[in-house]
């Protein structure tokens, strides 16, 4: 699950990134409303953790502009404010959920996972490609009925390819979708290492070749499971 945290308190933003990353989320950070809006418009996030009191553009306006642009990304608003009027305004501008500071990190993670389940119907939750089954909601993979253990990064790559089965996906696009901002600036060859590991788990033991290299373009997951 890729999450954008828009929070101007830098220590809190870094703490959220560290904690959410440890929980298996891919996390990007923006410290002001304008940057947060631009990133949310330019990248495919599963959820945005959005502070209300932001420099440049407050959270209400970021949320309303995203909705006006047709974005259906899940939005969880954070604020130091408390009270029913603030909660009502957050929801009225298009937020899906609301959490007041100070908050429990455990509750934040639970809210994000619940949000992902609620909005998960936007994309296929279970992709069946021959005898390869990728379950986005449960984050599981099976091949020929066998459970295939994958690392969070390997599963994220497979899930991204499965959602676009049959299409060529570039290394750069995989980096942008699966790694956070720091990883996206890294060497695209990092993707090769993880794809090789993925092949050794879902293809080689079963005599399949589902994960295909498209010369000069990237990788493609065979629509029939290989």
């Amino acid at each position: 699950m890729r999450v954008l945290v828009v929070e101007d308190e830098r220590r809190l933003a870094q703490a959220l990134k560290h904690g959410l990353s440890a929980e298996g989320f891919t996390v990007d950070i923006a410290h002001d409303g304008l940057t947060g809006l631009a990133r949310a418009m330019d990248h495919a996030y599963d959820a945005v953790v959005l502070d209300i009191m932001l420099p440049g553009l407050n959270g209400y306006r970021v949320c309303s502009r995203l909705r006006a642009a047709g974005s259906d990304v899940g939005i969880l608003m954070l604020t130091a404010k408390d009270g029913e009027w603030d909660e009502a305004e957050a929801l009225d501008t298009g937020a899906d959920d609301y959490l007041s500071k100070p908050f429990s990190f455990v509750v934040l993670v639970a809210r994000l996972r619940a949000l992902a389940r609620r909005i998960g119907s936007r994309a296929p939750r279970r992709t069946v490609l021959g005898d390869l089954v990728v379950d986005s909601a449960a984050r599981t993979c099976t091949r020929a009925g066998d459970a295939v253990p994958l690392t969070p990064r390997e599963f994220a790559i497979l899930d991204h390819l499965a959602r676009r089965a049959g299409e060529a996906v570039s290394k750069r696009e995989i980096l942008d979708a699966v790694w956070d901002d720091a990883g996206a600036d890294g060497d695209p060859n990092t993707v090769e290492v993880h794809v090789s590991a993925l092949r050794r788990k879902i293809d080689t033991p079963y005599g399949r070749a589902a994960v295909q290299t498209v010369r000069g373009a990237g990788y493609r997951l065979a629509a029939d499971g290989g």
Side-chain angles (χ1 to χ4, degrees), residues 25-86:
F25 295 85
T26 299
V27 185
D28 295 337
I29 294 176
H31 295 298
D32 63 81
L34 290 171
T35 302
L37 176 63
R39 291 192 176 183
M41 295 285 283
D42 292 342
H43 300 282
Y45 291 102
D46 297 294
V48 177
V49 177
L50 179 63
D51 189 26
I52 290 180
M53 302 302 292
L54 292 167
L57 198 67
N58 69 38
Y60 297 130
R61 292 185 178 181
V62 172
C63 183
S64 63
R65 291 190 186 184
L66 284 172
R67 296 309 189 216
S71 173
D72 60 355
V73 65
I75 297 176
L76 172 63
M77 277 197 173
L78 297 179
T79 179
K81 295 181 178 181
D82 193 10
E84 60 183 14
W85 293 108
D86 298 312

Side-chain angles (χ1 to χ4, degrees), residues 128-139:
V128 180
L129 307 169
D131 64 357
L132 177 66
V133 180
V134 182
D135 192 318
S136 301
R139 298 189 66 78

Side-chain angles (χ1 to χ4, degrees), residues 17 48 65 109 112 116 121 123 134-135 138 141 177 195 199 212:
K17 179 171 183 175
V48 177
R65 291 190 186 184
V109 171
L112 283 174
S121 58
V134 182
D135 192 318
C141 169
V195 168
R199 282 173 168 153
Q212 305 167 352

Side-chain angles (χ1 to χ4, degrees), residues 67-222:
R67 296 309 189 216
S71 173
D72 60 355
V73 65
I75 297 176
L76 172 63
M77 277 197 173
L78 297 179
T79 179
K81 295 181 178 181
D82 193 10
E84 60 183 14
W85 293 108
D86 298 312
E87 181 175 356
E89 186 171 357
L91 298 175
D92 284 344
T93 56
D96 298 283
D97 205 351
Y98 177 98
L99 198 58
S100 295
K101 299 176 184 176
F103 55 85
S104 161
F105 178 72
V106 173
V107 172
L108 173 65
V109 171
R111 292 278 186 95
L112 283 174
R113 287 178 173 157
L115 181 59
R117 290 194 295 270
R118 290 203 301 271
I119 65 176
S121 58
R122 297 198 314 257
R125 296 171 66 85
R126 190 169 181 268
T127 304
V128 180
L129 307 169
D131 64 357
L132 177 66
V133 180
V134 182
D135 192 318
S136 301
R139 298 189 66 78
T140 59
C141 169
T142 61
R143 168 72 93 176
D146 299 332
V148 181
L150 301 175
T151 68
R153 194 81 72 186
E154 291 164 357
F155 182 84
I157 292 172
L158 176 61
D159 189 42
H160 188 71
L161 292 174
R163 292 172 188 241
R164 298 181 53 186
E167 300 179 25
V169 183
S170 70
K171 294 178 186 177
R172 173 52 56 184
E173 182 176 343
I174 294 173
L175 274 173
D176 288 344
V178 175
W179 273 261
D180 59 18
D181 286 342
D185 293 333
D187 186 349
N189 290 331
T190 301
V191 178
E192 292 183 11
V193 175
H194 287 80
V195 168
S196 294
L198 185 59
R199 282 173 168 153
R200 289 195 296 271
K201 293 180 178 181
I202 69 168
D203 279 347
T204 304
Y206 300 93
R208 306 285 201 278
V211 184
Q212 305 167 352
T213 298
V214 182
R215 190 175 300 277
Y219 299 101
R220 175 175 55 225
L221 187 64

Side-chain angles (χ1 to χ4, degrees), residues 5 7-18 27 29-31:
V5 174
E7 170 59 66
D8 63 326
E9 295 182 35
R10 292 177 180 266
R11 291 179 62 182
L12 175 58
Q14 288 299 327
L16 288 175
K17 179 171 183 175
H18 178 77
V27 185
I29 294 176
H31 295 298

